[in-house]
Amino acid sequence: MSLHTPKTWKKHLLAGAAALSIASVDMAVAFAQEEEFDFLETIMVTSRKRPETIVDVPLSVTALSGTDLQAADLDTIVDLANLTPGLDFESFNTFPGRQDSTPFIRGIVVDAGVPNPLAQPVGVFIDGIFISGGTKAIGIENIERVEVVKGPQSATFGRSTFAGALNYVTKDPAEELEGRVTALAATRDEYELTALISGPILGEKLRGQLSGRYSFNGGHYANTANPGEELGEEETYSIGGVLLFEPNSSWRTRARAYYSKINDGPAAVQLIGGDLNNFGPFPAEGQPIGGVNGGDESIFAGTLPSRPIGPIGLNTSAADFALVRDALIADDFISLGTDVLGQGFGLEISTFRASLDSTYEFENGVSVTAIIGYNTEESLNIYDSDLTTDQSFSQVNPRKFEDFSAEIRVQGEAFDEKLYWAIAGNFYDARFDNNFDFVFFEDGQPGSSLGSVSTAFSNPAIGANLGGTPDVGFFRDEVQNYGFSAQLSYEITDQITISYEGRYNVDDITDIANLITDEAAAQSQGLVSNEDTVTPSEGTFKNYLQRATIDFKPNQNNMIYFTYSEGNLPGGFNNAVLGLEQFQIDFINNEFGQISTTFDEETLRNFEIGYKGSVLDGRLNFALSGFLMRRSDETVVTTVQIPQNPELTDFESQSITLNAQSTRVLGIEAEGTWFVSESLNLASTIAFIDSQVTDFPEGAIAGGDLVDVFGLNADPLGQSAPRFARVQASFSATYEHQQSFDVFGVEWNPYARGDYFYTGKRYLTLLNVGESPSAHVINFRTGLRSENATIEFFVTNLTNEDAPTGANNTSDLSFNRGTFGPPGFGSPGVFNFGLEGTSIGLRDRRQFGLRATFDF
């Protein structure tokens, strides 16, 4: 069943992208010419913590320079996925908007009810320092290049690089005074201004750089539930500075600081409700009738529509917010220092990042590098969590994140530079505080009528706290990580090199649920002090991770490599199981099998072969890779029913994380750039990725809707992993006229560029019966370029593609799907959180705009 069929011309474009990427060598041979000139700039990368050219590094790396980013108008990490084969991006997960920025590489997706920035499958770094949180706000005004390293990178970068890493490398201050100013204005009230100035402060010894950015996007969808408001409004302020101290040729010290502020309105998200469910209902085995999840389950099968049926809108008015605010006050809600009372619906994020790295090189070539980094982020997201015009549920989510990292690295060469060696030690300390509260509207009416009474209830005991005793706690995750690593690389011959990297890793993890910091609040619940809340979950996870590589270079421009690498995803705790009484434990064990308070680490083993290089005097540059990955002890999130009394008449729904299946991921990636002439170049990327569940232990519980629909004995063998695009492709063409023309004494060259981006369908769940539609996006730009200025006209999403940017299976919390009883409900057992829907991110519509850049 398909509700969205690509047009013929779209299929032809996709086929063309694949042909250019995979068959580019044959095409180039047919095109061979004799003239020689240098087209492609040499990009240096630090994917193995040392400078190498993109051709010399035996890894699957996509590197985009600052020039590439600007030429393709890539503003954020989301845009980066368009030109990177194997990189996908979930525009939102549990929380809408820019709060969670979740990149996925090669189909490795983490099934998490609440995203945890301390346990992500892909690590994001700035100058080699791990960052978390609002990565979508990172601009490109100070970016030298971006490196996307695919496959496990734990041996080099450490934790949170289970499937790969993204490393933003910022620019050094210039040796001479220079600067850049860029201004943008586009339809739908989009404006942006960036500025950068760089140059010497104390001659050659001390240089500095200062950059700033302001951007505003007015939103693309009228909010029918709050007239005059646009959904998707985003506003960003940022300022950054760099100091580079080089007193001599041996010593180099670099300090960087960055601050950003996000002020966003309600996100452009909506619910495609359970009234479209056409698969089921099925009896939900093991879930008692009358429990929070009811007794039956159904789901959507086929390809989702691109838009919800009915009006697009969210209940985000000032009157709605006043009710939410009053409910939070009554619930003694802990806001983690954020100003819940002063903000309406939307998202605020404040981020500060600082780093210092210093390298000293001795006369014998041995160098010592010390790097320290500090990051802090505070955010507050208040949103209409039913994602419809019905006034039923709202949610508030304040978070605080703080981390400190340090690394010391010693490296050098020996045996006439044939042997490269490095040893390093690192320390990482982080704390993540997270709280969220639901607010339901007791007198809310279908269709957006304003309720007169609202009640808040807090996690973790949602089912037990429906209008009950206030829960004034929050969650805290703490991590201390110690790592020790070594690298060896030896040139056996001028053409063959072998490399080995290993890291011993120790994670000390502490989870604290329902943490109460206010003594008065604790006493109001009959608690003497904070220690009477819960016992912290504490655990230590140790592992040794490695990567071995052999590469063969038939000449200086080409390389064939084979690599084996390992990665891990940290384990954690099921806090919902802590503190249960014996009758509850017995019920869980009888109905669902043995469930532990902890879940173990996941492991990933990657086998990869690749071929990269350039031919035809640099006219054709390409990279091809094929890989097989084995993911073991994969965690899944499933919902269980926990009895609240020995008579088993009242049940509470809780999410539990389990180690269950193993998955095989098989894929190929290709990217190429073909310089047809000095004026015209073509570029393309493509990735095909297939994943299947290959092992499922007897007695284990599958995750998500597989259990909801087919019961606890559901078998996921042969199912494909959800929530990533199985096919991605891009095609770009750039033309720049080589003959300039004079305007008021300035020489201008006209240029034009077109980009086509394809993102394939994504399975919504492990059931593999429902899919999000594929997306075909075309951007075009044309303008004039001089030595010091660029003026261009652009159009984005030329064909007004409306496929959603993301789709996540969720509970349908609206009124008009039959989820709730009549107005005036409020007693436990009425809620049916088991009714399925799909939350989608609405794609930005077509825009026209102008951009001007001036260099001095």
Side-chain angles (χ1 to χ4, degrees), residues 589-600:
N589 292 340
N590 291 333
E591 295 291 329
F592 304 102
Q594 297 292 326
I595 294 179
S596 173
T597 57
T598 64
F599 55 91
D600 294 330

Side-chain angles (χ1 to χ4, degrees), residues 161-367:
T161 56
F162 184 58
L166 277 66
N167 187 27
Y168 285 78
V169 180
T170 59
K171 296 177 181 177
D172 277 345
E175 296 179 356
E176 298 181 359
L177 182 64
E178 61 180 44
R180 166 171 289 187
V181 176
T182 300
L184 176 149
T187 54
R188 305 189 187 278
D189 291 327
E190 182 173 1
Y191 308 97
E192 182 174 318
L193 179 65
T194 64
L196 180 146
I197 186 169
S198 181
I201 298 176
L202 296 175
E204 299 179 354
K205 297 185 183 299
L206 182 65
R207 291 178 276 160
Q209 181 186 100
L210 185 65
S211 62
R213 177 188 180 214
Y214 171 77
S215 66
F216 179 84
N217 188 337
H220 290 224
Y221 295 87
N223 186 357
T224 59
N226 188 22
E229 182 179 61
E230 297 287 329
L231 298 179
E233 179 181 295
E234 297 178 346
E235 186 176 38
T236 305
Y237 306 82
S238 66
I239 185 171
V242 179
L243 288 175
L244 177 60
F245 179 58
E246 292 183 300
N248 52 55
S249 60
S250 300
W251 184 20
R252 168 190 170 93
T253 299
R254 191 174 186 267
R256 178 180 58 85
Y258 173 85
Y259 174 80
S260 69
K261 176 75 172 180
I262 284 178
N263 292 301
D264 291 351
V269 294
Q270 285 288 279
L271 179 77
I272 295 180
D275 54 342
L276 292 184
N277 289 355
N278 54 8
F279 189 68
F282 299 90
E285 179 182 338
Q287 297 186 6
I289 301 295
V292 177
N293 273 10
D296 297 318
E297 186 77 14
S298 64
I299 199 170
F300 177 83
T303 303
L304 282 174
S306 296
R307 301 282 180 85
I309 298 174
I312 292 176
L314 301 173
N315 300 107
T316 55
S317 68
D320 289 308
F321 176 70
L323 292 175
V324 172
R325 177 194 61 209
D326 293 344
L328 295 174
I329 294 174
D331 195 43
D332 294 328
F333 181 67
I334 295 178
S335 63
L336 303 179
T338 59
D339 185 11
V340 174
L341 303 184
Q343 172 183 308
F345 284 89
L347 171 66
E348 290 187 359
I349 302 178
S350 298
T351 303
F352 175 75
R353 312 190 191 282
S355 66
L356 179 71
D357 65 89
S358 183
T359 298
Y360 187 85
E361 183 174 346
F362 295 91
E363 292 183 359
N364 60 2
V366 174
S367 64

Side-chain angles (χ1 to χ4, degrees), residues 594-632:
Q594 297 292 326
I595 294 179
S596 173
T597 57
T598 64
F599 55 91
D600 294 330
E601 292 184 324
E602 294 188 34
T603 58
L604 185 66
R605 293 175 174 85
N606 176 52
F607 303 86
E608 181 174 336
I609 186 170
Y611 177 33
K612 61 172 63 178
S614 62
V615 295
L616 300 176
D617 300 322
R619 289 182 181 276
L620 177 64
N621 300 268
F622 59 89
L624 310 171
S625 63
F627 55 89
L628 169 65
M629 298 196 297
R630 299 285 185 180
R631 183 179 183 183
S632 303

Side-chain angles (χ1 to χ4, degrees), residues 448-509:
S448 76
S449 178
L450 188 65
S452 59
V453 179
S454 61
T455 304
F457 59 90
S458 305
N459 270 305
I462 291 179
N465 283 333
L466 300 180
T469 302
D471 183 347
V472 294
F474 65 95
F475 302 92
R476 172 172 292 170
D477 294 303
E478 297 177 344
V479 169
Q480 284 192 335
N481 172 267
Y482 308 86
F484 306 92
S485 63
Q487 295 184 38
L488 291 173
S489 181
Y490 185 75
E491 293 183 11
I492 298 176
T493 70
D494 291 340
Q495 295 179 314
I496 299 176
T497 302
I498 57 173
S499 303
Y500 180 82
E501 303 164 46
R503 174 182 292 267
Y504 178 72
N505 213 51
V506 179
D507 266 323
D508 289 331
I509 301 177

Side-chain angles (χ1 to χ4, degrees), residues 766-783:
L766 196 61
L767 269 174
N768 292 178
V769 297
E771 297 178 309
S772 63
S774 58
H776 304 258
V777 177
I778 295 177
N779 297 340
F780 176 77
R781 60 196 62 252
T782 184

Side-chain angles (χ1 to χ4, degrees), residues 16 23-24 27 42 96 149 221 304 348 388 499 528 534 565 593 606 614 740 762 809 833 844 850:
S24 55
M27 295 168 58
T42 299
V149 196
Y221 295 87
L304 282 174
E348 290 187 359
T388 70
S499 303
V528 176
V534 295
S565 56
N606 176 52
S614 62
S740 59
R762 299 176 173 93
N809 183 247
F833 288 102
D844 283 354
L850 293 172

